[in-house]
Amino acid sequence: MNPTTTHSGEVVGQLVLIEADPIRQRIMHAVAGFLAGYSGTTLEAYRLDLRGWIGWLDNAFLDPFEIERAHIELYARWSESQGRARSTIGRRLSTICGFYKYCAQERIIERDPSAHVRRPKQDYESSTLGLDRNELGAFLVQAGLCGGRDHALACLLALNGLRISEALGANIDNLDVNRGHRTLFIHRKGNKTATIPLSPRTARALDLYIGERLSGLIFVNHDGTGRLDRHASARIVRRLTKAAGIEKRISPHSLRHSFITAAPDAGVPLRDVQEAASHSDPRTMMRYDRGRGSLDRHPTYIVSTFVAGASR
């Protein structure tokens, strides 16, 4: 499937419908309908997952609406042979199963071939490489020496555990003061929003980086003409990691992982860590406490002090 190819095509849901091929047009209509229910990074991830699946079917000369459960499981085995992680394969299968469930509900197909697809067992422990206390301290010291954008981004990722999409999507207008806390309003995964407190170090780093700017995105590219992208963010993190003398291959997500693992070691209750990280399926007590005292109890203050103790 190549959504950029046109032949008297019509754009529907950011996908091109090729009128010269009725079968392909039917597929594209179904994909566009399924994707219409999503937005942001979820939309992009599902689009890539389906593009990979339909491309695999094309190479095998299979009609996407004439497949069996065995074909989906063969695709999973093929993905394993390509060295894909179990978590990646599980996510792709989830997208494929969601797509065929939608097609069955909309009566595009008579039967859902994915109904009983076996998913790969997931590891209970995360395979993401993180930084320990001393490494996290050294990383932040190096970020502080660089200052500016690097320091501000490093603090938000490492001391607040933000997802990179949350940090890059943050706006200057969403910085505020709430009951004595410096705060930042962010958009979370799954169309959620949250107001998070900023440790003094993070607030100071952001103020120094933003300078005289009054509006717009907090993190902008080198010449200030557009948004800082994920690839540039990853390069910043790798550069700081190398400068700090850390040999691990660290990504922006690794800093979120480091925050989540450092917080319990620093004495933060697990419930508060889950709340700060915005993990799915929060417990009832977390919902109850969300509006009361969560800023005072936020792990960013404890983790910031905990890490600073190792970097002196």
Side-chain angles (χ1 to χ4, degrees):
M1 178 177 66
N2 184 359
T4 62
T5 302
T6 60
H7 184 86
S8 301
E10 175 191 359
V11 177
V12 175
Q14 298 182 335
L15 294 169
V16 177
L17 307 180
I18 304 174
E19 297 175 357
D21 186 345
I23 296 177
R24 180 54 57 90
Q25 187 179 34
R26 180 171 172 240
I27 295 167
M28 300 295 274
H29 266 300
V31 171
F34 172 71
L35 294 179
Y38 303 95
S39 62
T41 54
T42 301
L43 170 64
E44 185 60 29
Y46 285 4
R47 181 188 291 120
L48 291 174
D49 289 344
L50 290 177
R51 182 180 300 171
W53 163 242
I54 295 176
W56 183 82
L57 292 175
D58 282 346
N59 290 334
F61 302 102
L62 293 170
D63 184 333
F65 293 135
E66 298 293 336
I67 57 102
E68 301 291 338
R69 185 186 81 179
H71 293 117
I72 301 175
E73 294 183 348
L74 281 172
Y75 177 64
R77 303 293 82 76
W78 175 83
S79 297
E80 288 177 355
S81 72
Q82 299 299 303
R84 300 292 183 264
R86 278 183 285 183
S87 58
T88 300
I89 297 171
R91 191 203 71 222
R92 290 179 177 180
L93 291 181
S94 179
T95 302
I96 293 167
C97 291
F99 170 66
Y100 282 111
K101 182 179 179 181
Y102 164 83
C103 289
Q105 290 173 340
E106 295 298 315
R107 299 185 180 180
I108 298 171
I109 55 178
E110 294 182 2
R111 178 183 56 84
D112 179 1
S114 69
H116 302 290
V117 166
R118 291 166 290 190
R119 314 287 181 90
K121 292 183 179 179
Q122 302 298 318
D123 294 326
Y124 286 102
E125 295 184 4
S126 173
S127 60
T128 302
L129 280 178
L131 302 176
D132 62 29
R133 180 188 183 187
N134 291 325
E135 290 169 336
L136 194 54
F139 176 87
L140 288 171
V141 165
Q142 187 59 46
L145 292 174
C146 291
R149 183 181 64 185
D150 293 2
H151 191 205
L153 181 63
C155 285
L156 269 184
L157 297 178
L159 297 180
N160 277 91
L162 294 192
R163 298 177 178 89
I164 188 60
S165 59
E166 295 167 351
L168 298 183
N171 284 289
I172 295 172
D173 297 339
N174 291 332
L175 288 165
D176 202 354
V177 177
N178 187 343
R179 303 200 316 272
H181 299 270
R182 289 292 303 278
T183 61
L184 176 64
F185 176 83
I186 59 171
H187 293 274
R188 293 281 199 187
K189 181 179 179 182
N191 293 321
K192 300 176 184 177
T193 58
T195 296
I196 61 168
L198 306 173
S199 70
R201 174 176 186 164
T202 304
R204 186 165 54 250
L206 285 169
D207 289 341
L208 289 172
Y209 169 53
I210 292 169
E212 300 299 319
R213 290 187 290 140
L214 299 177
S215 62
L217 291 167
I218 292 177
F219 295 104
V220 293
N221 57 19
H222 184 68
D223 57 10
T225 59
R227 171 177 171 169
L228 181 69
D229 63 32
R230 289 170 174 266
H231 301 295
S233 303
R235 289 194 295 269
I236 290 171
V237 170
R238 288 196 298 267
R239 175 165 45 77
L240 292 176
T241 303
K242 183 177 180 181
I246 300 168
E247 296 183 356
K248 295 176 180 176
R249 186 173 178 81
I250 298 300
S251 67
H253 185 71
S254 302
L255 297 179
R256 172 175 165 81
H257 176 86
S258 301
F259 167 83
I260 293 170
T261 55
D265 291 340
V268 181
L270 183 59
R271 183 188 66 194
D272 292 341
V273 180
Q274 292 173 325
E275 174 77 356
S278 185
H279 282 160
S280 60
D281 192 21
R283 295 294 180 256
T284 303
M285 184 59 72
M286 292 170 59
R287 296 194 197 99
Y288 178 80
D289 281 346
R290 180 171 298 169
R292 184 182 59 138
S294 58
L295 292 177
D296 299 312
R297 237 184 23 247
H298 197 281
T300 185
Y301 298 119
I302 301 174
V303 173
S304 181
T305 302
F306 178 70
V307 172
S311 58
R312 293 188 182 122

